[in-house]
């Protein structure tokens, strides 16, 4: 039985003309061989599988050829070429820097450079994965690399150019290899398939080329895998099944359904995709690429940017005629926002569903989907749902009648915050008990209470203004100038904390410190604040007048005085960590420790 050789080795280029996708570099190297103007060191860098080591071997073979062609190619017939083809050449050495990366290995290499070539003009040393050399090995290599013997040429190859020392880079001619385009990969796979006698569909080869991500070696490996699975007939359906690739037909269907505002059909399609084992994030990434391709297909100038097969290009053009540019821009913006938030989302499927629903609603008339800083709004998905929600409007008078008159009571309430809260709760309770509705009316009672609170917030916010000299917003009608109301320590702490929460963004630092302070009523209405350090005290002194004005306003007492004092050594209180707080709670309440054991809890 004949020995099987994988396509990546069997069809490895043996001349510059057979190298795929690197025409500029191969032309430069052929001209250098033809003119005899050779550098002493070359660096080939680029992604994996694009021909770096292959070009290094072809270049080394051409350098030592005894009768090169007029185009700079090796003849393949002389003794040097025959020795290279039979892998018995003593003039070309290939080393793997990943396994020979120490100073000792470099010293051994330097000793071999002293021996002149037996056949040919040059000794060529090809060092693959040169970025794996240690720093000491690089430094030992420097002097020889800069001034090697006249018969020595170094060809270095690497996939990670940024890891090589600048002193090495400055001593080499650098050649940057490009990724293979999809079109070049498809053409090369066609020639391989024809040589192997394998039938194929061009769309299937396009899927292989996209999966290879610019690497020809990867493309040939995937080609062998697909050929084995398809048994000599490579079709699109079999390739996406073998490679577990999401069918591009899903993306075309999503856009077609979105143009028709069929959000529910898109949800069914998404469910089918997820049931096949594909991640929602993969669908979003593929959809972003698809919408981008549709956008590129709208203009003849950008049409060459589509790296797809000819059949796929025609389909993109057909769908591009249906889509307006604003729709594509908005869809790309929504998809990109979903892609950004996908990793941080705790409910990834819901995020994908909301994004697809918004895309399906872009073209709906008389409404717009929120984006950017605007609130995201979802339009109605069912017509009967809109009709159902429109019917309860007849019951609006009953809801209005059930509302408590909270805003009117607020101006007549006592000044204490606790009494204000209790009076509001009492009024709501009275309104609920006065409602003669039965069990069937209980949901209506809940909606009326929530509606009344919303009205209360709206009326309250409409009267709020900012008073100069105070920290935050307040109601100017709530604080007469001659008030002398009493307040308790609890009222003082409540208003102090509320003031800290209302302070502007520029005072966020001192506001955080103030939350840890505990103001005390020393001699009513005198208030004293203890500060731990001088820095916080200086910051507090700068806004002391504003703090005092705020306390006078919200505690309804114009006689309040405020003093700030630096705490003495014995007055300092150490702030406990969360674990220390929990230990203290366990000591004071043993039930917490018992609950922790029963539920097998751990402190995060």
């Amino acid at each position: 039985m004949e020995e099987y050789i994988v396509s990546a080795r069997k069809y490895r280029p043996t001349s510059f003309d057979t190298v795929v996708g690197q025409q500029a570099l191969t032309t430069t190297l052929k001209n250098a061989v033809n003119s005899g103007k050779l550098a002493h060191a070359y660096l080939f860098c680029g992604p994996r599988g694009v021909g770096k080591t292959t070009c290094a071997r072809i270049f080394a073979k051409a350098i030592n050829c005894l009768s090169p062609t007029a185009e700079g190619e090796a003849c393949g017939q002389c003794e040097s070429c025959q020795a290279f083809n039979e892998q018995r050449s003593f003039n070309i050495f290939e080393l793997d820097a990943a396994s020979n990366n120490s100073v000792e290995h470099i010293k051994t290499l330097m000793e071999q450079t002293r021996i002149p070539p037996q056949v040919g003009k040059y000794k060529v040393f090809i060092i693959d994965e040169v970025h794996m050399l240690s720093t000491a090995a690089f430094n030992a290599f420097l002097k020889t690399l800069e001034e090697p013997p006249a018969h020595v040429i170094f060809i270095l190859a690497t996939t990670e150019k940024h890891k090589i020392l600048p002193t090495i880079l400055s001593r080499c001619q650098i050649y940057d290899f490009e990724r293979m385009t999809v079109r070049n990969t498809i053409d090369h796979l066609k020639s391989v398939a024809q040589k192997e006698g394998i039938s194929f569909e061009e769309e299937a080869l396009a899927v292989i080329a996209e999966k290879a991500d610019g690497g020809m070696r990867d493309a040939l490996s995937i080609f062998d895998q697909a050929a084995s699975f398809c048994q000599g007939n490579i079709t699109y359906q079999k390739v996406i099944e073998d490679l577990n690739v999401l069918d591009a037909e899903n993306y075309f269907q999503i856009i077609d359904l979105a143009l028709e505002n069929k959000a529910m059909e898109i949800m069914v399609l998404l469910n089918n995709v997820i049931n096949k084992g594909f991640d929602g994030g993969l669908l979003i990434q593929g959809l972003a690429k698809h919408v981008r391709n549709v956008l590129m297909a709208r203009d003849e100038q950008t049409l060459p940017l589509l790296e797809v097969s000819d059949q796929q290009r025609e389909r993109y053009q057909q769908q591009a005629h249906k889509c307006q540019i604003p729709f594509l821009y908005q869809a790309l913006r929504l998809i990109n926002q979903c892609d950004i938030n996908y990793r941080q989302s705790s409910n990834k499927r819901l995020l994908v569903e909301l994004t697809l629903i918004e895309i399906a609603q872009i073209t709906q008339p008389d409404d717009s989907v929120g984006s950017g800083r605007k609130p995201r709004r979802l339009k109605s998905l069912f017509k009967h749902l809109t009709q159902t929600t429109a019917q309860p409007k007849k019951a609006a008078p009953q809801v209005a009648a059930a509302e408590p008159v909270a805003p009117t009571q607020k101006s007549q309430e006592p000044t204490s915050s606790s009494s204000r809260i209790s009076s509001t709760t009492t009024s709501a309770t009275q309104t609920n008990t006065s409602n003669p509705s039965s069990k069937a009316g209980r949901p209506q009672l809940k909606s009326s209470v929530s509606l009344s609170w919303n009205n209360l917030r709206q009326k309250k916010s409409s009267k709020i203004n900012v008073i100069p000299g105070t920290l935050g917003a307040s109601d100017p009608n709530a604080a007469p100038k001659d008030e002398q109301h009493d307040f308790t320590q609890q009222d003082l702490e409540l208003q102090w904390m509320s003031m800290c929460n209302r302070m502007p963004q520029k005072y966020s630092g001192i506001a955080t410190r103030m939350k840890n302070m505990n103001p005390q009523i020393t001699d009513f209405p005198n208030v004293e604040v203890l500060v731990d350090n001088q820095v916080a005290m200086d910051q507090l002194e700068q806004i002391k007048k504003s703090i005092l004005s705020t306390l006078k306003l919200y505690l309804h007492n114009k006689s309040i005085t405020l003093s700030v004092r630096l705490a003495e050594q014995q007055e300092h209180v150490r702030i406990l960590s969360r674990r220390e707080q929990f230990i203290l709670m366990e000591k004071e309440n043993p039930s917490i420790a018992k609950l922790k054991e029963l539920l097998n809890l751990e402190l995060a």
Side-chain angles (χ1 to χ4, degrees):
M1 182 177 180
E2 185 180 356
E3 183 181 0
Y4 173 74
I5 303 176
V6 296
S7 299
R9 292 177 55 196
K10 185 176 182 180
Y11 296 100
R12 192 166 196 166
T14 57
S15 63
F16 286 122
D17 291 336
T18 56
V19 176
V20 180
Q22 310 295 342
Q23 184 176 1
L25 297 182
T26 55
T27 302
T28 305
L29 295 176
K30 286 193 295 183
N31 293 338
V33 173
N34 195 26
S35 62
K37 298 179 179 179
L38 302 174
H40 61 276
Y42 296 87
L43 175 63
F44 294 170
C45 50
R48 69 184 189 278
V50 294
K52 299 184 298 298
T53 306
T54 298
C55 285
R57 292 175 178 175
I58 297 172
F59 188 43
K61 178 182 176 182
I63 288 173
N64 278 320
C65 181
L66 300 180
S67 55
T69 63
E71 292 80 14
E73 295 275 10
C75 66
Q77 303 297 328
C78 64
E79 175 60 25
S80 177
C81 293
Q82 289 292 335
F84 177 83
N85 294 335
E86 297 172 6
Q87 298 182 358
R88 56 180 176 82
S89 174
F90 291 100
N91 294 340
I92 300 174
F93 298 88
E94 187 171 346
L95 294 91
D96 180 20
S99 56
N100 300 277
N101 55 5
S102 65
V103 177
E104 289 73 15
H105 293 118
I106 293 299
K107 288 182 178 179
T108 304
L109 178 65
M110 297 304 101
E111 292 176 358
Q112 293 179 0
T113 60
R114 300 175 184 175
I115 304 174
Q118 297 178 355
V119 179
K121 300 179 181 179
Y122 299 98
K123 265 194 154 182
V124 183
F125 293 87
I126 302 173
I127 304 179
D128 203 4
E129 302 297 335
V130 71
H131 65 273
M132 298 294 289
L133 289 178
S134 63
T135 304
F138 268 130
N139 292 329
F141 189 38
L142 277 177
K143 189 61 179 177
T144 305
L145 185 64
E146 183 177 11
E147 297 179 357
H151 58 270
V152 172
I153 292 178
F154 291 105
I155 304 177
L156 315 179
T158 180
T159 56
E160 301 185 39
K161 175 183 172 182
H162 60 279
K163 290 186 178 181
I164 300 178
L165 297 179
T167 49
I168 296 290
L169 296 176
S170 64
R171 289 165 168 80
C172 301
Q173 280 190 12
I174 301 175
Y175 290 79
D176 290 309
F177 284 69
E178 300 176 355
R179 289 181 178 274
M180 301 292 174
T181 63
V182 174
R183 174 47 55 190
N184 287 338
T185 305
I186 293 174
D187 293 340
H188 187 65
L189 292 179
K190 282 182 179 179
S191 64
V192 173
Q194 291 171 358
K195 293 176 182 177
E196 292 290 328
I198 298 174
S199 59
F200 59 87
E201 293 179 1
E202 186 173 346
E203 291 185 358
L205 299 184
V207 173
I208 296 175
E210 292 178 6
K211 188 77 172 179
D213 193 24
M216 185 60 71
R217 182 172 59 240
D218 293 354
L220 291 171
S221 298
I222 298 173
F223 175 82
D224 288 344
Q225 176 184 340
S228 177
F229 178 78
C230 300
Q231 297 182 351
N233 183 19
I234 302 178
T235 62
Y236 176 77
Q237 291 297 331
K238 290 184 179 180
V239 167
I240 62 174
E241 180 184 353
D242 181 37
L243 302 181
N244 197 28
V245 176
L246 187 58
D247 191 355
E249 184 64 26
N250 293 296
Y251 305 132
F252 285 102
Q253 290 182 11
I254 289 176
I255 298 302
D256 289 338
L257 293 173
L259 292 173
E260 300 174 6
N261 309 129
K262 296 181 178 180
M264 292 303 98
E265 285 80 353
I266 295 178
M267 293 298 99
V268 175
L269 191 150
L270 172 64
N271 185 66
N272 294 335
V273 169
I274 293 177
N275 289 339
K276 291 179 182 178
F278 294 101
D279 185 44
L282 179 65
L283 176 68
I284 288 295
Q285 293 174 7
L287 186 60
K289 184 177 180 181
H290 177 83
V291 176
R292 177 259 181 194
N293 288 344
V294 174
L295 183 63
M296 296 298 106
R298 284 187 57 87
D299 197 330
E300 292 294 334
Q301 296 180 352
T302 56
L303 193 59
L305 298 179
L306 297 181
E307 294 187 348
V308 294
S309 63
D310 295 337
Q311 296 177 351
Q312 288 288 85
R313 183 179 286 106
E314 292 178 3
R315 290 205 61 186
Y316 278 119
Q317 287 180 300
Q318 292 174 3
Q319 192 169 74
H321 292 313
K322 304 178 185 178
C323 302
Q324 298 297 323
I325 291 181
F327 168 79
L328 297 175
Y329 285 165
Q330 184 72 356
L332 281 174
R333 189 177 295 110
L334 291 171
I335 295 171
N336 182 61
Q337 192 64 33
C338 177
D339 188 39
I340 293 173
N341 298 329
Y342 188 80
R343 291 185 179 180
Q344 289 78 22
S345 176
S346 58
N347 194 340
K348 301 184 187 311
R349 175 165 181 168
L350 179 61
L351 177 63
V352 174
E353 289 175 343
L354 287 175
T355 302
L356 294 178
I357 290 173
E358 288 182 302
I359 293 173
Q361 296 171 348
I362 292 176
T363 58
Q364 277 191 8
D366 301 330
D367 202 353
S368 61
V369 180
S371 61
R373 295 186 178 180
K374 298 179 182 178
R376 294 173 59 157
R377 293 182 288 119
L378 297 179
K379 304 170 187 177
S380 175
L381 303 181
F382 303 98
K383 292 183 178 180
H384 70 273
L385 179 62
T386 308
Q387 298 172 358
T388 305
T389 55
Q391 293 177 357
K393 291 184 177 179
K394 298 179 181 179
Q398 298 178 5
V399 176
E403 294 181 3
V405 193
T408 307
Q409 293 175 354
K410 177 174 174 56
S411 60
Q412 301 175 359
E413 289 174 349
T415 57
S416 173
S417 59
S418 58
S419 61
R420 287 198 296 271
I421 295 172
S422 62
S423 63
T424 306
T425 308
T426 304
S427 64
T429 306
Q430 291 174 355
T431 307
N432 294 342
T433 55
S434 63
N435 191 351
S437 61
S438 60
K439 293 181 181 179
R442 190 169 298 172
Q444 182 180 358
L445 181 61
K446 291 183 180 180
S447 62
S448 65
V449 174
S450 62
L451 183 59
S452 66
W453 276 111
N454 290 334
N455 293 341
L456 177 60
R457 293 191 188 98
Q458 293 173 1
K459 293 180 180 180
K460 182 178 178 181
S461 61
S462 63
K463 294 181 180 180
I464 286 179
N465 297 314
V466 177
I467 297 181
T470 62
L471 296 175
S474 59
D475 188 354
N477 299 322
K481 297 181 179 180
D482 55 347
E483 281 188 321
Q484 297 288 343
H485 290 184
D486 294 340
F487 58 89
T488 64
Q489 176 66 28
Q490 183 179 2
D491 295 334
L492 173 62
E493 293 175 358
L494 177 62
Q495 296 302 332
W496 180 272
M497 188 60 64
S498 300
M499 175 182 61
C500 295
N501 292 331
R502 292 193 308 267
M503 290 174 70
Q505 182 66 28
K506 63 180 180 179
Y507 296 126
S508 60
I510 186 61
T512 304
R513 295 186 180 93
M514 288 172 61
K515 289 180 181 179
N516 295 325
M517 300 177 187
N518 189 18
Q520 297 289 335
I521 302 175
T522 55
D523 184 13
F524 188 87
N526 300 326
V527 178
E528 182 183 65
V529 180
L530 287 181
V531 185
D532 291 339
N533 55 74
Q534 187 64 41
V535 176
M537 184 173 181
D538 294 339
Q539 293 179 346
L540 207 60
E541 287 288 350
Q542 295 177 1
I543 60 173
K544 179 179 176 181
K545 293 182 180 180
S546 298
I547 295 175
L548 182 58
S549 300
T550 306
L551 293 178
K552 287 180 179 180
L553 177 65
Y554 284 90
L555 292 174
H556 304 279
N557 194 317
K558 70 174 185 177
S559 301
I560 297 177
T561 61
L562 180 65
S563 59
V564 182
R565 181 169 63 86
L566 191 63
E568 299 179 0
Q569 186 66 31
Q570 63 273 15
E571 293 178 316
H572 282 285
V573 180
R574 188 173 72 86
I575 300 177
L576 300 179
S577 64
R578 291 187 176 183
R579 186 170 296 278
E580 292 173 338
Q581 292 175 2
F582 182 76
I583 293 174
L584 184 61
M585 290 171 60
E586 281 186 324
K587 292 180 180 178
E588 295 178 354
N589 193 347
S591 300
I592 296 179
K594 188 177 297 184
L595 180 65
K596 175 186 174 184
E597 294 178 1
L598 290 176
L599 299 179
N600 195 20
L601 300 177
E602 293 183 1
L603 185 63

